[in-house]
Amino acid sequence: PVTMTQAYTTYGVVVGSGDYNGMTTIDAKNAVMDDLESKGWGKRTVNFRLRDWLISRQRSWGPPIPIIHCAACGPQGVPVADLPVRLPDDLDYQVAGSPLAQHPTWKHVACPACGAPAVRETDTLDTFVDSSWYFLRFLSPNNTEMAWPKAVADRMLPVNQYTGGVEHAILHLLYARFVVKALRDAGHVSVDEPFDALLNQGQVILNGSAMSKSRGNLVQPSEVIDQYGADTLRATILFASAPEDDIDWADVSPSGMYKWLTKLWRQALADGGPGIADSGDAGSVDKLRCAVHTRIAAITEDFERHKYNTAIAKLMEISNAAREAVTAGVRGAPVREAIDSLLLMLAPICPFITEELWSRLDHAGSIHLQKWPAADPALLVKTAVTIVVQFNGKIRGRLTVPVGLGAEEVERIAREDPSIAAHLTQVEVAKVFAVQDRLLNFVVKS
C-alpha cells in the first residue's frame, strides 16, 4: 500500500483494508456484503441488464415477422394454418429502400380478422433471433406440426457443450439465454439455462493481426488442403495451441504435421497388420503396453478438457513407443494394440487418414463407429521412474529406479552407475539434493 500510486482495479489480493487484508477480491466482496447484512445496513442484490435488441430490419433476408396490419383491426398475428410466412423469390434488389416493402404482390393480403385488404409486416427479424433458438429446432428438424415437442426438449436440454468465438458471449449467448427463459415461462421448455458449458475458441491470425480481405493477409485453407490434405490442416491448427488461444499462422508449419502423418501411415501398414506373429521379451511388451494405456487415460482426459494440442503430443508418444518396441523386437498383438488405439483416438482429429488405415488393417466397419479405447487400470500403476542426475544443475545422466525409492538409495545407485561414476572421479561432492522420483543433483567442487 505504501508504494501504490493508484487503485488496483483488477482481481488480486486485498491490502490496506483492515480485516479484509489478505483476502482475494471475490472473498473480500462476499465478506463486505456479509458484514453489511449482519449490521442491517444493506442486503445483496443482483442487477441484470440486457442491451437493446435490434428486432426489425428493413432488409429482405431474415425471418419474416408474422404480423398483418389492418386499418380497421390493427396488427393481427398470421393464422397458424398460414405459417410459415415465406419470402418471395422475385425481389428487385435495384430499388431504393426495402425490396420487400416495394414488392407488388407479396405484402398484400386479407386481414385474418375481418377479411378487409391488409398488408404484411415488411421488416424482417435480425439473424440473432434465429441463432437464439436454432439448437432447439435440432431436436426435431423434420417436424412439420411444431418447432419441437416439449417432451424431447425436456429430455435433451441443456446442451452439454457450446463452442464459439468470444463475440458470441456478449451477443448470441445472452439472447439465447433470454429466449430460453421466456420459453420456459411460456411453458415450452423446462430448463433455466440453454447451455451447460462454454468454450470460447481463439482466432487464426497472421503476423499478429486478424485476417482481413482489406488487409490482403488471408491464408486460403484450400491452398493448404491442396498441398497437404484436410487432415493435416485440422491437426496443425489443433496442435498449434489450446483451442481458446489465438494461432498466428506465420508461426505454424503444416509440413511438420504432414511428415508425422506420413510416418504414421507407413508405420501402421508395416507394424499394425493382422498377419504378424507375436514376438518380443516380456519386459519390452509390458513397457509398450504401459506406455499405451497410460496415454489412453491421459488423452481421454485431454479430450474431455478440450486440450487437443497436448492430446496430439501424447498420440505422437504412442507412435514413438511403438517404434521403439519394434526396434526392441516386439511384434504382433502389442504393436497392433498400440496402432489401433492411436488411430481410434486420432480419428476425431484426422477422420480421413484414420478411416483409410482402419480399412487397410482389415478392421470391419467405420473407425468412427467404434468404441473409444479404455485404459487398463492394472497398467496405469507406475513401478519405475526415470531420475534425472545433474552435476551443479547440468544433466549428466538418467537412472531408472523403483517408484518411491529414498534419496540415499538413489544416490548409491547413481554412484555405482559407470556413466555417472566417471563424473565423480575428478570432483569433490559438497552436497546432494534429491527430489523424489524426479531429480538427483550433485553440488561439486573441481
Side-chain angles (χ1 to χ4, degrees):
V2 177
T3 60
M4 292 175 67
T5 58
Q6 60 186 22
Y8 187 71
T9 57
T10 57
Y11 288 97
V13 177
V14 176
V15 296
S17 301
D19 294 340
Y20 309 112
N21 284 345
M23 295 183 181
T24 65
T25 305
I26 298 297
D27 291 340
K29 283 184 177 181
N30 287 322
V32 169
M33 288 187 286
D34 288 342
D35 290 346
L36 290 173
E37 288 185 337
S38 68
K39 292 179 172 61
W41 294 350
K43 65 178 181 178
R44 285 175 171 84
T45 185
V46 179
N47 296 317
F48 294 97
R49 182 169 66 94
L50 188 66
R51 293 179 181 274
D52 289 342
W53 191 5
L54 177 63
I55 289 292
S56 60
R57 308 177 306 168
Q58 292 72 49
R59 300 177 181 174
S60 56
W61 61 88
I65 298 175
I67 293 177
I68 295 173
H69 298 280
C70 175
C73 304
Q76 300 292 312
V78 173
V80 173
D82 296 335
L83 295 175
V85 176
R86 298 188 180 277
L87 297 174
D89 296 325
D90 56 346
L91 289 169
D92 181 3
Y93 292 101
Q94 303 300 317
V95 299
S98 170
L100 275 180
Q102 300 182 61
H103 192 277
T105 60
W106 176 81
K107 66 179 181 180
H108 298 289
V109 292
C111 173
C114 68
V119 294
R120 295 187 186 276
E121 174 60 59
T122 58
D123 284 359
T124 57
L125 293 170
D126 186 83
T127 51
F128 275 120
V129 178
D130 287 1
S131 61
S132 293
W133 72 275
Y134 74 94
F135 50 90
L136 292 165
R137 182 58 175 167
F138 287 164
L139 300 175
S140 56
N142 299 317
N143 193 325
T144 58
E145 301 299 321
M146 62 182 71
W148 64 86
K150 185 175 183 297
V152 175
D154 290 346
R155 179 167 59 89
M156 298 297 292
L157 293 178
V159 176
N160 301 103
Q161 177 66 48
Y162 195 98
T163 303
V166 67
E167 70 278 0
H168 286 68
I170 58 173
L171 295 174
H172 157 65
L173 292 179
L174 267 180
Y175 300 144
R177 294 182 65 211
F178 176 84
V179 168
V180 165
K181 290 178 184 295
L183 291 170
R184 174 206 60 196
D185 292 348
H188 299 301
V189 298
S190 299
V191 295
D192 293 327
E193 295 285 353
F195 314 116
D196 268 343
L198 167 67
L199 173 64
N200 283 325
Q201 63 191 19
Q203 286 184 308
V204 180
I205 61 178
L206 186 64
N207 293 317
S209 301
M211 294 187 192
S212 168
K213 289 181 180 179
S214 60
R215 293 195 187 107
N217 64 341
L218 294 175
V219 174
Q220 293 293 344
S222 58
E223 296 176 2
V224 181
I225 292 173
D226 290 343
Q227 183 173 0
Y228 297 109
D231 280 345
T232 298
L233 177 60
R234 288 163 58 95
T236 298
I237 292 175
L238 291 176
F239 186 55
S241 70
E244 60 269 22
D245 297 334
D246 290 343
I247 301 170
D248 196 323
W249 195 254
D251 301 329
V252 172
S253 173
S255 62
M257 183 59 64
Y258 180 77
K259 288 178 182 177
W260 178 67
L261 291 175
T262 302
K263 289 180 181 178
L264 175 61
W265 177 276
R266 293 195 295 264
Q267 179 185 16
L269 296 179
D271 303 331
I276 303 173
D278 294 354
S279 64
D281 63 89
S284 297
V285 170
D286 289 345
K287 179 181 178 181
L288 174 59
R289 297 201 68 224
C290 285
V292 171
H293 282 262
T294 298
R295 284 160 181 81
I296 288 175
I299 292 168
T300 301
E301 183 178 350
D302 283 344
F303 266 85
E304 291 173 348
R305 296 167 55 230
H306 312 293
K307 303 299 182 182
Y308 307 116
N309 53 331
T310 56
I312 294 173
K314 294 181 179 75
L315 289 169
M316 293 177 176
E317 291 174 359
I318 294 178
S319 176
N320 293 337
R323 191 174 293 110
E324 291 174 4
V326 169
T327 302
V330 179
R331 297 287 191 278
V335 180
R336 286 196 298 274
E337 180 188 33
I339 297 297
D340 288 351
S341 299
L342 193 164
L343 294 177
L344 286 166
M345 294 186 289
L346 181 62
I349 297 169
C350 299
F352 302 111
I353 186 175
T354 52
E355 180 81 324
E356 183 66 21
L357 284 171
W358 191 255
S359 174
R360 293 194 183 208
L361 295 176
D362 291 341
H363 291 295
S366 169
I367 191 172
H368 304 295
L369 299 178
Q370 309 307 312
K371 289 184 178 180
W372 188 265
D376 185 346
L379 297 173
L380 302 182
V381 179
K382 279 189 176 182
T383 58
V385 291
T386 299
I387 299 289
V388 174
V389 180
Q390 297 179 338
F391 281 70
N392 291 343
K394 294 182 179 180
I395 297 176
R396 295 302 186 205
R398 288 178 170 81
L399 296 172
T400 300
V401 300
V403 171
L405 197 64
E408 293 182 359
E409 187 65 16
V410 172
E411 182 183 345
R412 182 191 65 78
I413 294 173
R415 288 179 178 274
E416 294 176 356
D417 186 275
S419 63
I420 296 171
H423 293 286
L424 292 168
T425 57
Q426 302 296 326
V427 297
E428 176 188 349
V429 178
K431 291 182 180 180
V432 180
F433 293 101
V435 179
Q436 190 173 52
D437 296 336
R438 294 180 60 187
L439 175 70
L440 183 71
N441 184 34
F442 291 96
V443 179
V444 300
K445 299 176 183 179
S446 300

